[in-house]
Coordinates of all heavy atoms in Angstrom, one line a residue:
M327 N 0.8 -1.2 0.0 CA 0.0 0.0 0.0 C 0.9 1.3 0.0 O 0.6 2.2 -0.8 CB -0.9 0.0 1.2 CG -1.8 1.2 1.3 SD -2.9 1.0 2.7 CE -3.7 2.5 2.7
L328 N 1.9 1.2 0.9 CA 2.8 2.4 0.9 C 3.5 2.6 -0.4 O 3.6 3.7 -0.9 CB 3.7 2.3 2.1 CG 4.7 3.4 2.3 CD1 4.0 4.7 2.6 CD2 5.6 3.1 3.5
A329 N 4.0 1.5 -1.0 CA 4.7 1.6 -2.3 C 3.8 2.2 -3.3 O 4.2 3.0 -4.2 CB 5.2 0.3 -2.7
C330 N 2.5 1.8 -3.3 CA 1.6 2.3 -4.3 C 1.3 3.8 -4.1 O 1.1 4.5 -5.1 CB 0.3 1.5 -4.3 SG 0.4 -0.2 -4.8
W331 N 1.2 4.2 -2.8 CA 1.0 5.6 -2.5 C 2.1 6.4 -3.0 O 2.0 7.5 -3.5 CB 0.7 5.8 -1.0 CG 0.5 7.2 -0.6 CD1 -0.7 7.9 -0.8 CD2 1.5 8.1 -0.1 NE1 -0.5 9.2 -0.3 CE2 0.8 9.3 0.1 CE3 2.8 7.9 0.3 CZ2 1.5 10.4 0.6 CZ3 3.5 9.0 0.8 CH2 2.8 10.2 1.0
V332 N 3.4 6.0 -2.7 CA 4.5 6.7 -3.1 C 4.6 6.9 -4.6 O 4.9 7.9 -5.2 CB 5.8 6.0 -2.6 CG1 7.1 6.6 -3.3 CG2 5.9 6.1 -1.1
E333 N 4.2 5.8 -5.3 CA 4.2 5.9 -6.8 C 3.1 6.8 -7.3 O 3.4 7.6 -8.2 CB 3.9 4.5 -7.4 CG 4.0 4.4 -8.9 CD 3.8 3.0 -9.4 OE1 4.7 2.2 -9.2 OE2 2.7 2.7 -9.9
D334 N 1.9 6.8 -6.7 CA 0.8 7.7 -7.2 C -0.3 7.7 -6.1 O -1.1 6.8 -6.1 CB 0.2 7.2 -8.5 CG -0.8 8.2 -9.0 OD1 -1.1 9.2 -8.4 OD2 -1.4 7.9 -10.1
P335 N -0.3 8.8 -5.3 CA -1.3 8.8 -4.2 C -2.7 8.9 -4.7 O -3.6 8.5 -3.9 CB -0.9 10.1 -3.5 CG 0.4 10.5 -3.9 CD 0.6 9.9 -5.2
N336 N -2.9 9.2 -5.9 CA -4.3 9.3 -6.5 C -4.6 8.1 -7.5 O -5.6 8.1 -8.1 CB -4.5 10.6 -7.2 CG -4.4 11.8 -6.3 OD1 -5.0 11.8 -5.2 ND2 -3.6 12.8 -6.6
G337 N -3.6 7.2 -7.5 CA -3.8 6.1 -8.5 C -4.7 5.0 -8.1 O -5.1 4.8 -6.9
D338 N -5.1 4.2 -9.1 CA -6.0 3.1 -8.8 C -5.4 2.0 -7.9 O -6.1 1.4 -7.1 CB -6.5 2.5 -10.1 CG -7.4 3.4 -10.9 OD1 -8.1 4.2 -10.3 OD2 -7.5 3.2 -12.1
A339 N -4.1 1.8 -8.1 CA -3.5 0.7 -7.3 C -3.6 1.1 -5.8 O -3.9 0.2 -5.0 CB -2.0 0.6 -7.7
F340 N -3.3 2.3 -5.4 CA -3.4 2.7 -4.0 C -4.9 2.7 -3.6 O -5.2 2.2 -2.5 CB -2.9 4.1 -3.9 CG -3.1 4.7 -2.5 CD1 -2.5 4.2 -1.4 CD2 -4.0 5.7 -2.3 CE1 -2.7 4.7 -0.1 CE2 -4.3 6.2 -1.0 CZ -3.6 5.7 0.1
K341 N -5.8 3.1 -4.4 CA -7.2 3.2 -4.0 C -7.8 1.8 -3.7 O -8.7 1.6 -2.9 CB -8.0 3.9 -5.0 CG -7.7 5.4 -5.0 CD -8.5 6.1 -6.1 CE -8.2 7.6 -6.2 NZ -8.8 8.3 -7.2
K342 N -7.2 0.8 -4.4 CA -7.7 -0.6 -4.2 C -7.3 -1.1 -2.8 O -7.9 -2.1 -2.3 CB -7.1 -1.5 -5.3 CG -7.8 -1.3 -6.6 CD -7.2 -2.2 -7.7 CE -7.8 -1.9 -9.1 NZ -7.3 -2.8 -10.1
H343 N -6.2 -0.6 -2.2 CA -5.8 -1.0 -0.9 C -6.7 -0.4 0.2 O -6.8 -1.0 1.3 CB -4.4 -0.5 -0.6 CG -3.4 -1.4 -1.3 ND1 -3.0 -2.6 -0.9 CD2 -2.7 -1.1 -2.5 CE1 -2.1 -3.1 -1.7 NE2 -1.9 -2.2 -2.7
L344 N -7.3 0.8 0.0 CA -8.0 1.5 1.0 C -9.1 0.7 1.7 O -9.2 0.7 2.9 CB -8.6 2.8 0.5 CG -7.5 3.8 0.1 CD1 -8.2 5.0 -0.5 CD2 -6.7 4.2 1.3
P345 N -9.9 -0.1 1.0 CA -11.0 -0.9 1.7 C -10.4 -2.0 2.6 O -11.2 -2.4 3.5 CB -11.8 -1.5 0.5 CG -11.4 -0.8 -0.7 CD -10.0 -0.2 -0.5
R346 N -9.2 -2.3 2.5 CA -8.6 -3.4 3.3 C -7.9 -2.9 4.5 O -7.4 -3.7 5.4 CB -7.6 -4.2 2.5 CG -8.1 -4.9 1.2 CD -9.1 -6.0 1.5 NE -8.6 -7.0 2.5 CZ -7.9 -8.1 2.2 NH1 -7.5 -8.3 1.0 NH2 -7.5 -8.9 3.1
I347 N -7.8 -1.6 4.8 CA -7.1 -1.1 5.9 C -7.6 -1.6 7.2 O -6.8 -2.0 8.1 CB -7.1 0.5 5.9 CG1 -6.3 1.0 4.8 CG2 -6.7 1.0 7.3 CD1 -6.4 2.5 4.6
Q348 N -8.9 -1.7 7.4 CA -9.5 -2.2 8.6 C -9.2 -3.7 8.9 O -9.3 -4.2 10.0 CB -11.0 -2.0 8.7 CG -11.3 -0.5 8.8 CD -12.8 -0.2 8.9 OE1 -13.6 -1.1 8.7 NE2 -13.1 1.1 9.2
D349 N -8.8 -4.4 7.8 CA -8.3 -5.8 8.0 C -7.0 -5.9 8.8 O -6.7 -6.9 9.4 CB -8.2 -6.5 6.7 CG -9.5 -6.7 6.0 OD1 -10.6 -6.6 6.6 OD2 -9.5 -6.9 4.7
Y350 N -6.2 -4.8 8.7 CA -4.9 -4.8 9.2 C -4.6 -3.8 10.4 O -3.8 -4.0 11.2 CB -3.9 -4.5 8.1 CG -3.9 -5.6 7.1 CD1 -4.6 -5.4 5.9 CD2 -3.3 -6.8 7.3 CE1 -4.7 -6.4 5.0 CE2 -3.3 -7.8 6.3 CZ -4.1 -7.6 5.2 OH -4.1 -8.6 4.3
L351 N -5.4 -2.7 10.4 CA -5.3 -1.7 11.5 C -6.7 -1.5 12.1 O -7.6 -1.3 11.4 CB -4.8 -0.4 10.9 CG -3.4 -0.4 10.3 CD1 -3.1 0.9 9.6 CD2 -2.3 -0.7 11.3
W352 N -6.7 -1.5 13.4 CA -8.0 -1.2 14.1 C -7.8 -0.7 15.5 O -6.7 -0.8 16.1 CB -8.9 -2.4 14.1 CG -8.4 -3.5 15.0 CD1 -8.7 -3.7 16.3 CD2 -7.5 -4.5 14.6 NE1 -8.1 -4.8 16.7 CE2 -7.3 -5.4 15.7 CE3 -6.8 -4.8 13.4 CZ2 -6.5 -6.5 15.7 CZ3 -6.0 -6.0 13.4 CH2 -5.8 -6.7 14.5
M353 N -8.8 0.0 16.0 CA -8.7 0.5 17.4 C -9.3 -0.5 18.3 O -10.4 -0.9 18.1 CB -9.4 1.9 17.5 CG -8.6 3.0 16.9 SD -7.0 3.3 17.4 CE -7.3 3.8 19.1
A354 N -8.5 -0.9 19.3 CA -9.1 -1.7 20.4 C -9.2 -0.9 21.7 O -8.9 0.3 21.7 CB -8.1 -2.9 20.6
E355 N -9.7 -1.5 22.7 CA -9.9 -0.8 24.0 C -8.6 -0.3 24.6 O -8.6 0.7 25.3 CB -10.7 -1.6 25.0 CG -10.0 -2.9 25.4 CD -10.2 -4.1 24.4 OE1 -11.0 -4.0 23.5 OE2 -9.5 -5.1 24.6
D356 N -7.5 -0.9 24.2 CA -6.2 -0.4 24.8 C -5.3 0.2 23.8 O -4.2 0.4 24.0 CB -5.5 -1.6 25.4 CG -5.2 -2.7 24.5 OD1 -5.9 -2.8 23.4 OD2 -4.4 -3.6 24.8
G357 N -5.9 0.7 22.7 CA -5.1 1.4 21.7 C -5.2 0.7 20.3 O -5.9 -0.2 20.1
M358 N -4.4 1.3 19.4 CA -4.4 0.8 18.0 C -3.7 -0.6 17.9 O -2.7 -0.8 18.6 CB -3.7 1.8 17.1 CG -3.7 1.3 15.6 SD -3.1 2.5 14.5 CE -4.7 3.2 14.0
R359 N -4.3 -1.4 17.1 CA -3.7 -2.8 16.9 C -3.4 -3.0 15.4 O -4.0 -2.3 14.6 CB -4.7 -3.9 17.4 CG -5.0 -3.9 18.8 CD -3.8 -4.4 19.5 NE -4.0 -4.4 20.9 CZ -3.1 -4.8 21.8 NH1 -2.0 -5.1 21.4 NH2 -3.4 -4.7 23.1
M360 N -2.5 -3.9 15.2 CA -2.1 -4.2 13.8 C -2.0 -5.7 13.6 O -1.5 -6.4 14.4 CB -0.8 -3.5 13.5 CG -0.3 -3.7 12.1 SD 1.3 -3.0 11.8 CE 2.4 -4.4 12.2
Q361 N -2.6 -6.2 12.5 CA -2.4 -7.6 12.1 C -1.0 -7.8 11.7 O -0.4 -7.1 10.9 CB -3.4 -7.9 11.0 CG -3.2 -9.3 10.4 CD -3.6 -10.4 11.4 OE1 -4.5 -10.2 12.2 NE2 -2.9 -11.5 11.4
S362 N -0.4 -8.8 12.3 CA 1.0 -9.2 11.9 C 1.1 -10.6 11.5 O 0.2 -11.4 11.9 CB 1.9 -8.9 13.1 OG 3.2 -9.3 12.8
F363 N 2.0 -10.9 10.7 CA 2.2 -12.3 10.3 C 3.5 -12.9 10.8 O 4.2 -13.6 10.2 CB 2.2 -12.4 8.7 CG 0.9 -11.9 8.1 CD1 0.8 -10.6 7.6 CD2 -0.2 -12.7 8.1 CE1 -0.4 -10.2 7.1 CE2 -1.4 -12.3 7.6 CZ -1.5 -11.0 7.1
G364 N 3.7 -12.7 12.1 CA 4.9 -13.2 12.8 C 6.2 -12.5 12.5 O 7.2 -13.1 12.8
S365 N 6.1 -11.3 12.0 CA 7.3 -10.6 11.7 C 7.4 -9.3 12.6 O 7.6 -8.2 12.1 CB 7.3 -10.2 10.2 OG 6.2 -9.4 9.9
Q366 N 7.3 -9.5 13.9 CA 7.2 -8.4 14.8 C 8.5 -7.5 14.7 O 8.4 -6.3 14.8 CB 7.1 -8.8 16.2 CG 5.8 -9.5 16.6 CD 5.7 -11.0 16.3 OE1 6.7 -11.6 15.8 NE2 4.6 -11.6 16.5
S367 N 9.6 -8.1 14.5 CA 10.8 -7.3 14.3 C 10.8 -6.4 13.1 O 11.1 -5.2 13.1 CB 12.1 -8.2 14.3 OG 12.2 -8.9 15.5
W368 N 10.4 -7.0 12.0 CA 10.2 -6.2 10.7 C 9.2 -5.1 10.9 O 9.4 -3.9 10.5 CB 9.9 -7.1 9.5 CG 11.0 -7.7 8.9 CD1 11.4 -9.0 9.1 CD2 12.0 -7.2 8.0 NE1 12.6 -9.3 8.4 CE2 12.9 -8.2 7.7 CE3 12.1 -5.9 7.5 CZ2 14.0 -7.9 6.8 CZ3 13.2 -5.7 6.6 CH2 14.1 -6.7 6.3
D369 N 8.0 -5.5 11.4 CA 6.9 -4.5 11.6 C 7.4 -3.4 12.5 O 7.1 -2.2 12.2 CB 5.7 -5.2 12.2 CG 5.1 -6.3 11.3 OD1 5.4 -6.2 10.1 OD2 4.4 -7.1 11.8
T370 N 8.1 -3.7 13.6 CA 8.5 -2.7 14.5 C 9.6 -1.8 13.9 O 9.5 -0.6 14.0 CB 9.1 -3.4 15.8 OG1 8.1 -4.2 16.4 CG2 9.5 -2.3 16.8
S371 N 10.5 -2.4 13.2 CA 11.6 -1.6 12.7 C 11.1 -0.7 11.6 O 11.5 0.5 11.5 CB 12.8 -2.5 12.1 OG 12.3 -3.3 11.1
L372 N 10.2 -1.2 10.7 CA 9.6 -0.3 9.7 C 8.7 0.8 10.2 O 8.7 1.9 9.8 CB 8.9 -1.2 8.7 CG 9.7 -2.1 7.8 CD1 8.9 -3.1 7.0 CD2 10.7 -1.4 6.9
G373 N 8.0 0.4 11.3 CA 7.2 1.5 11.9 C 8.0 2.6 12.6 O 7.7 3.7 12.5
L374 N 9.1 2.2 13.2 CA 10.0 3.1 13.8 C 10.6 4.0 12.8 O 10.8 5.2 13.0 CB 11.1 2.5 14.7 CG 10.6 1.9 16.0 CD1 11.8 1.1 16.6 CD2 10.2 3.0 16.9
Q375 N 11.0 3.4 11.6 CA 11.6 4.2 10.6 C 10.6 5.3 10.1 O 11.0 6.4 9.8 CB 12.0 3.3 9.4 CG 13.3 2.5 9.7 CD 13.7 1.6 8.6 OE1 13.5 2.0 7.4 NE2 14.2 0.5 8.9
A376 N 9.3 4.8 9.9 CA 8.3 5.8 9.5 C 8.1 6.9 10.5 O 7.9 8.1 10.1 CB 7.0 5.0 9.3
L377 N 8.1 6.6 11.8 CA 8.0 7.6 12.8 C 9.1 8.6 12.8 O 8.9 9.8 12.8 CB 7.9 7.0 14.2 CG 6.6 6.2 14.5 CD1 6.7 5.5 15.9 CD2 5.4 7.2 14.6
L378 N 10.3 8.1 12.6 CA 11.5 8.9 12.6 C 11.5 9.8 11.3 O 11.7 11.0 11.4 CB 12.8 8.1 12.6 CG 13.1 7.4 13.9 CD1 14.2 6.4 13.7 CD2 13.5 8.5 15.0
A379 N 11.1 9.3 10.2 CA 11.0 10.0 8.9 C 10.0 11.1 9.0 O 10.1 12.2 8.4 CB 10.8 9.1 7.8
S380 N 8.9 10.8 9.7 CA 7.8 11.8 9.8 C 7.9 12.9 10.8 O 7.2 13.9 10.9 CB 6.5 11.1 10.0 OG 6.5 10.6 11.3
G381 N 8.9 12.6 11.8 CA 9.0 13.5 12.9 C 8.1 13.3 14.0 O 8.1 14.0 15.0
L382 N 7.2 12.3 13.9 CA 6.2 12.0 14.9 C 6.8 11.3 16.1 O 6.2 11.2 17.2 CB 5.1 11.1 14.4 CG 4.2 11.8 13.3 CD1 3.2 10.8 12.8 CD2 3.5 13.0 14.0
H383 N 8.1 10.8 16.0 CA 8.7 10.1 17.2 C 8.8 11.0 18.4 O 8.7 10.6 19.5 CB 10.1 9.6 16.8 CG 11.1 10.7 16.5 ND1 11.0 11.3 15.3 CD2 12.1 11.2 17.2 CE1 12.0 12.2 15.2 NE2 12.6 12.2 16.4
E384 N 8.8 12.3 18.2 CA 8.9 13.2 19.4 C 7.5 13.4 20.0 O 7.5 13.5 21.3 CB 9.4 14.6 18.9 CG 10.9 14.6 18.5 CD 11.4 15.9 18.0 OE1 10.7 16.9 18.1 OE2 12.5 15.9 17.5
E385 N 6.5 13.3 19.3 CA 5.1 13.4 19.8 C 4.8 12.1 20.6 O 4.0 12.1 21.6 CB 4.1 13.6 18.7 CG 4.1 15.0 18.2 CD 3.0 15.2 17.2 OE1 1.9 14.6 17.4 OE2 3.2 15.8 16.2
I386 N 5.2 11.0 20.1 CA 4.9 9.7 20.8 C 6.1 9.0 21.2 O 6.4 7.8 20.8 CB 4.0 8.8 19.8 CG1 4.5 8.8 18.4 CG2 2.6 9.3 19.8 CD1 3.7 7.9 17.5
W387 N 6.9 9.6 22.0 CA 8.3 9.1 22.3 C 8.2 7.8 23.1 O 9.1 7.0 23.0 CB 9.0 10.2 23.1 CG 8.4 10.6 24.4 CD1 7.5 11.6 24.6 CD2 8.6 10.0 25.7 NE1 7.1 11.7 25.9 CE2 7.8 10.8 26.6 CE3 9.4 9.0 26.2 CZ2 7.7 10.5 27.9 CZ3 9.3 8.7 27.5 CH2 8.5 9.4 28.4
R388 N 7.1 7.6 23.9 CA 7.0 6.3 24.7 C 6.9 5.2 23.7 O 7.6 4.1 23.9 CB 5.8 6.4 25.6 CG 6.0 7.2 26.8 CD 4.9 7.1 27.8 NE 4.7 8.3 28.4 CZ 3.6 8.9 28.8 NH1 2.5 8.3 28.5 NH2 3.6 10.1 29.3
L389 N 6.2 5.3 22.7 CA 6.0 4.2 21.7 C 7.4 4.0 21.0 O 7.8 2.9 20.8 CB 5.0 4.6 20.6 CG 4.8 3.6 19.5 CD1 4.4 2.3 20.0 CD2 3.8 4.2 18.5
S390 N 8.1 5.1 20.7 CA 9.4 5.0 20.0 C 10.4 4.2 20.9 O 11.1 3.4 20.5 CB 10.0 6.4 19.7 OG 9.2 7.0 18.8
R391 N 10.3 4.6 22.2 CA 11.2 3.9 23.2 C 10.9 2.4 23.3 O 11.8 1.6 23.4 CB 11.2 4.6 24.5 CG 11.8 5.9 24.6 CD 11.9 6.5 26.0 NE 12.7 5.6 26.8 CZ 14.0 5.9 27.2 NH1 14.5 7.0 26.8 NH2 14.7 5.1 27.9
K392 N 9.6 2.1 23.4 CA 9.2 0.7 23.5 C 9.6 -0.1 22.3 O 10.1 -1.2 22.4 CB 7.7 0.6 23.7 CG 7.2 0.9 25.0 CD 5.7 0.8 25.1 CE 5.2 1.2 26.5 NZ 3.7 1.0 26.6
G393 N 9.5 0.5 21.1 CA 9.9 -0.2 19.9 C 11.4 -0.4 19.8 O 11.9 -1.5 19.5
T394 N 12.1 0.6 20.3 CA 13.6 0.5 20.3 C 14.0 -0.6 21.3 O 14.9 -1.4 21.1 CB 14.2 1.9 20.7 OG1 13.8 2.8 19.7 CG2 15.7 1.8 20.7
F395 N 13.3 -0.6 22.5 CA 13.6 -1.6 23.5 C 13.4 -3.0 22.9 O 14.2 -3.9 23.1 CB 12.7 -1.4 24.7 CG 13.0 -2.3 25.8 CD1 14.1 -2.2 26.6 CD2 12.0 -3.4 26.0 CE1 14.3 -3.2 27.7 CE2 12.2 -4.3 27.0 CZ 13.4 -4.2 27.9
L396 N 12.3 -3.2 22.2 CA 12.0 -4.5 21.6 C 13.1 -4.9 20.6 O 13.6 -6.1 20.7 CB 10.6 -4.5 20.9 CG 10.3 -5.8 20.2 CD1 9.1 -6.5 20.9 CD2 10.0 -5.6 18.7
L397 N 13.5 -4.0 19.8 CA 14.5 -4.4 18.8 C 15.9 -4.6 19.5 O 16.6 -5.5 19.1 CB 14.6 -3.3 17.7 CG 13.4 -3.2 16.8 CD1 13.6 -2.0 15.9 CD2 13.2 -4.4 16.1
K398 N 16.2 -3.8 20.5 CA 17.5 -4.1 21.2 C 17.5 -5.4 21.9 O 18.5 -6.1 21.9 CB 17.7 -3.0 22.2 CG 18.2 -1.7 21.7 CD 18.5 -0.7 22.8 CE 19.1 0.6 22.2 NZ 19.4 1.5 23.3
N399 N 16.3 -5.8 22.5 CA 16.2 -7.1 23.1 C 16.3 -8.2 22.1 O 16.7 -9.3 22.4 CB 15.0 -7.2 23.9 CG 15.1 -6.5 25.2 OD1 16.2 -6.2 25.7 ND2 14.0 -6.2 25.8
H400 N 15.9 -8.0 20.9 CA 16.1 -9.0 19.8 C 17.4 -8.8 19.1 O 17.6 -9.5 18.1 CB 14.9 -8.9 18.8 CG 13.6 -9.4 19.4 ND1 12.7 -8.6 20.0 CD2 13.2 -10.7 19.5 CE1 11.7 -9.4 20.4 NE2 12.0 -10.6 20.1
R401 N 18.2 -7.9 19.5 CA 19.6 -7.7 19.0 C 19.6 -7.3 17.5 O 20.5 -7.7 16.8 CB 20.5 -8.9 19.2 CG 20.6 -9.2 20.7 CD 21.3 -10.5 20.9 NE 21.2 -10.8 22.3 CZ 22.3 -11.0 23.1 NH1 23.5 -11.0 22.6 NH2 22.1 -11.3 24.4
F402 N 18.6 -6.5 17.1 CA 18.6 -6.1 15.7 C 19.2 -4.7 15.5 O 19.7 -4.4 14.5 CB 17.1 -6.0 15.2 CG 16.6 -7.4 15.0 CD1 15.8 -8.0 15.9 CD2 16.9 -8.0 13.8 CE1 15.3 -9.3 15.6 CE2 16.4 -9.3 13.5 CZ 15.6 -9.9 14.4
I403 N 19.2 -3.9 16.6 CA 19.8 -2.6 16.4 C 20.6 -2.3 17.7 O 20.3 -2.7 18.8 CB 18.8 -1.4 16.2 CG1 17.8 -1.3 17.3 CG2 18.1 -1.6 14.9 CD1 17.0 0.0 17.2
F404 N 21.6 -1.4 17.6 CA 22.4 -1.0 18.7 C 22.6 0.5 18.7 O 23.7 0.9 18.6 CB 23.7 -1.8 18.7 CG 23.6 -3.3 18.7 CD1 23.6 -4.0 17.6 CD2 23.4 -3.9 19.9 CE1 23.4 -5.4 17.6 CE2 23.2 -5.3 20.0 CZ 23.2 -6.0 18.8
V405 N 21.5 1.2 18.6 CA 21.6 2.7 18.6 C 20.9 3.2 19.7 O 19.9 2.6 20.2 CB 21.1 3.3 17.2 CG1 22.0 2.8 16.1 CG2 19.7 2.9 17.0
K406 N 21.2 4.4 20.1 CA 20.5 5.1 21.1 C 19.7 6.3 20.5 O 20.2 7.1 19.8 CB 21.5 5.7 22.2 CG 20.8 6.4 23.3 CD 21.8 7.0 24.3 CE 21.1 7.7 25.4 NZ 22.0 8.3 26.3
L407 N 18.4 6.3 20.8 CA 17.5 7.4 20.3 C 17.5 8.5 21.4 O 17.5 8.2 22.6 CB 16.1 6.9 20.1 CG 15.9 5.9 19.0 CD1 14.4 5.5 18.9 CD2 16.3 6.6 17.6
N408 N 17.7 9.7 21.0 CA 17.7 10.8 22.0 C 16.3 11.1 22.4 O 15.3 11.1 21.7 CB 18.3 12.1 21.3 CG 19.8 11.8 21.1 OD1 20.4 11.0 21.8 ND2 20.3 12.5 20.1

């Protein structure tokens, strides 16, 4: 979906993904949830990259720290976020 949006935000390929968003992202009583296929490390690392690129990591720093903690515990990254 993201790749289609980057290619053409108004294109048919991107628009075909829109009806499926609720299959993968939804709000639960304890916050937003995401469907994963057992790739928590990939999902977390890509989500953190998106937060950093968007500048939103400063607004939701607790989430950024939790994601970094998860990846460090899985020994995928060895960097310190400020």
Side-chain angles (χ1 to χ4, degrees):
M327 180 176 176
L328 182 58
C330 292
W331 178 81
V332 168
E333 185 176 287
D334 183 3
N336 298 311
D338 289 335
F340 172 70
K341 290 178 183 176
K342 288 179 182 179
H343 285 280
L344 294 176
R346 300 292 310 274
I347 289 175
Q348 291 183 351
D349 294 339
Y350 298 98
L351 298 171
W352 66 94
M353 289 301 294
E355 60 278 352
D356 59 344
M358 181 170 265
R359 295 290 180 181
M360 181 181 92
Q361 173 66 34
S362 177
F363 297 100
S365 60
Q366 292 86 358
S367 297
W368 276 102
D369 296 340
T370 302
S371 64
L372 293 172
L374 286 172
Q375 287 179 36
L377 288 172
L378 290 168
S380 69
L382 292 176
H383 63 285
E384 293 177 7
E385 287 185 38
I386 47 178
W387 61 270
R388 284 187 213 142
L389 176 64
S390 299
R391 288 188 65 104
K392 285 181 181 182
T394 303
F395 180 77
L396 178 112
L397 292 176
K398 281 184 178 181
N399 282 340
H400 285 96
R401 298 173 191 236
F402 285 99
I403 62 169
F404 300 97
V405 298
K406 180 180 178 184
L407 293 177
N408 293 332

